[in-house]
Amino acid sequence: MKDIHISNKANRRQFLKAGSALAASATLLPFGTTRLFGASKSGNREVSIPTVALNNGIKMPILGFGTNTLVNDIGINAVADAISLGFRLIDTATVYGNEQFVGQGIKKSGIDRKELFITSKLWVDDSGFESTKKAFQTSLDKLQTDYLDLYLIHRPRGDVKGTWLAMEALYKEGRIRAIGLSNFEPHQIKELMTYAKVNPIVNQIETHVFFQEIEAYNTLPGMNIQHEAWSPLAEGRNGIFTNKTLASIGKKYGKNNAQVSLRWHFQRGIVAIPRSKNKAHMMENLNIFDFELSDEDLQTISTLDLNKTQFPEWS
Ligand SMILES: NC(=O)c1ccc[n+]([C@@H]2O[C@H](COP(=O)([O-])OP(=O)(O)OC[C@H]3O[C@@H](n4cnc5c(N)ncnc54)[C@H](OP(=O)(O)O)[C@@H]3O)[C@@H](O)[C@H]2O)c1
């Protein structure tokens, strides 16, 4: 399995080629094949999820599992199911109120902690140096782990500087493997860079076929920051699952709209974290590495961009 590091536009082209090679080598391999990151059983097959190399050299799966709104037994079982099917990147946040359920789901899965890539996020109410350290420890306790793979500032509000300095301290202590941002616009990242000693590693932002975030897509690689998509399926909004353009593309490959959408993220080198409480959907979302969207398909999908959020209530 090739790690794919995307730091500029030229490398994105190489990434697409690498993505093609991955597709050609068929990620769905016969049961029993020894796999690298993300090896797991899915039906009678195994799914292996490619990774991207982040700017500090660590590897992050390019496809992960979102957990917003997944709570209680549904949340526990969804996380355990997702891991059993092959997801290794699990995305949660303090404000989702589900870190304890995510932690229980991980425990239920029986997976070795070292195989997982766990992300959580610092909520606005906890911003500031000391409160970030406290909130971080609370997240660890709820998740039943002693480190995070990725910790993000959830929104660019509150005492961002104090928060970032606390995250840098935790990162330097080895308690977080990567630190980053969420919902930061390019000018807000530049502001943070004026005092940051650690380059942010990831920016997680709303990105899907209806809001393609072209500016961030073009800007983040130059800042050496990995683009990660939240709501990669637009949470089902704007009729994404019945969209005729996506359906006609998917028909050529025997894939549905969710799979075409997630493949689009993959071919753009964007980490995507679809959420589902439905095992059949989870499997569909994992099965995106055995086909390739053509340049013409990508061009067609570019016309779906409405260039505006589908979540105006959060702006
Ligand atoms: N940083 C931030 O500010 C931020 C904001 C929002 C979200 N996030 C993160 O991003 C994750 C993903 O975003 P999201 O949860 O808003 O939405 P999403 O992943 O874009 O979409 C989830 C919806 O799609 C459905 N779905 C999933 N796979 C499907 C499939 N194959 N076919 C048909 N329907 C399918 C799910 O229903 P079923 O359960 O029925 O499958 C669910 O209703 C979140 O869970 C969270 O971890 C971060």
Side-chain angles (χ1 to χ4, degrees):
M1 178 81 49
K2 231 179 148 150
D3 290 322
I4 303 154
H5 185 48
I6 313 152
S7 59
N8 56 38
K9 277 190 184 168
N11 281 351
R12 277 187 201 267
R13 293 302 304 171
Q14 288 165 11
F15 173 80
L16 293 183
K17 287 203 168 61
S20 309
L22 283 165
S25 69
T27 302
L28 298 175
L29 293 174
F31 178 79
T33 306
T34 303
R35 300 315 320 259
L36 298 175
F37 201 101
S40 179
K41 296 170 194 172
S42 173
N44 62 350
R45 291 168 178 265
E46 291 196 346
V47 175
S48 177
I49 298 175
T51 58
V52 285
L54 301 176
N55 72 24
N56 64 352
I58 75 164
K59 297 173 189 172
M60 178 178 193
I62 197 157
L63 179 67
F65 186 70
T67 68
N68 189 21
T69 72
L70 298 178
V71 295
N72 301 318
D73 283 351
I74 288 178
I76 296 169
N77 292 329
V79 169
D81 286 344
I83 292 170
S84 78
L85 292 172
F87 285 102
R88 291 293 178 269
L89 158 55
I90 308 292
D91 183 90
T92 181
T94 297
V95 78
Y96 302 164
N98 69 356
E99 289 168 308
Q100 67 273 39
F101 305 117
V102 170
Q104 289 173 55
I106 289 169
K107 198 160 189 192
K108 184 173 178 186
S109 78
I111 190 97
D112 186 340
R113 169 68 183 90
K114 288 194 290 294
E115 282 205 41
L116 293 176
F117 189 104
I118 303 177
T119 303
S120 193
K121 313 185 195 82
L122 185 284
W123 186 238
V124 180
D125 295 349
D126 296 317
S127 78
F129 191 84
E130 290 305 330
S131 35
T132 293
K133 288 192 158 184
K134 202 170 151 206
F136 170 73
Q137 187 58 50
T138 304
S139 290
L140 290 189
D141 293 345
K142 288 186 173 171
L143 286 162
Q144 303 184 52
T145 183
D146 55 4
Y147 70 96
L148 283 183
D149 294 278
L150 178 63
Y151 199 35
L152 305 176
I153 302 183
H154 204 142
R155 289 196 174 265
R157 299 203 195 122
D159 177 8
V160 172
K161 183 173 181 181
T163 298
W164 186 254
L165 295 180
M167 285 191 175
E168 286 187 343
L170 292 163
Y171 175 69
K172 284 175 185 160
E173 285 167 26
R175 304 187 68 205
I176 313 173
R177 296 178 69 226
I179 54 176
L181 313 170
S182 180
N183 300 300
F184 277 59
E185 294 181 15
H187 74 274
Q188 293 166 320
I189 300 175
K190 281 182 192 136
E191 159 68 20
L192 181 133
M193 298 279 211
T194 61
Y195 52 80
K197 296 206 168 47
V198 176
N199 196 97
I201 294 174
V202 167
N203 191 21
Q204 185 186 108
I205 52 178
E206 178 188 350
T207 313
H208 44 74
V209 293
F210 301 130
F211 188 27
Q212 301 190 5
E213 282 281 17
I214 300 301
E215 188 191 352
Y217 178 75
N218 288 329
T219 316
L220 290 173
M223 295 175 160
N224 227 355
I225 297 174
Q226 174 64 43
H227 187 158
E228 181 176 17
W230 61 253
S231 295
L233 300 174
E235 210 192 23
R237 296 186 187 199
N238 204 35
I240 192 169
F241 298 128
T242 52
N243 180 279
K244 288 193 174 131
T245 303
L246 295 174
S248 74
I249 292 172
K251 200 172 170 198
K252 294 189 285 179
Y253 308 107
K255 298 291 176 181
N256 65 26
N257 288 12
Q259 292 169 314
V260 170
S261 299
L262 294 173
R263 179 75 201 186
W264 173 81
H265 286 287
F266 171 61
Q267 288 189 212
R268 288 163 70 78
I270 297 173
V271 175
I273 45 171
R275 161 186 46 108
S276 181
K277 55 183 167 4
N278 175 321
K279 262 179 112 165
H281 288 169
M282 291 177 199
M283 274 195 263
E284 287 172 6
N285 297 346
L286 283 166
N287 290 338
I288 62 162
F289 300 113
D290 58 350
F291 75 111
E292 185 182 1
L293 298 170
S294 67
D295 286 347
E296 191 189 345
D297 297 331
L298 295 171
Q299 176 56 35
T300 303
I301 293 172
S302 73
T303 66
L304 297 179
D305 190 9
L306 301 170
N307 193 25
K308 67 171 190 208
T309 179
Q310 292 300 303
F311 298 84
E313 72 273 25
W314 294 351
S315 298

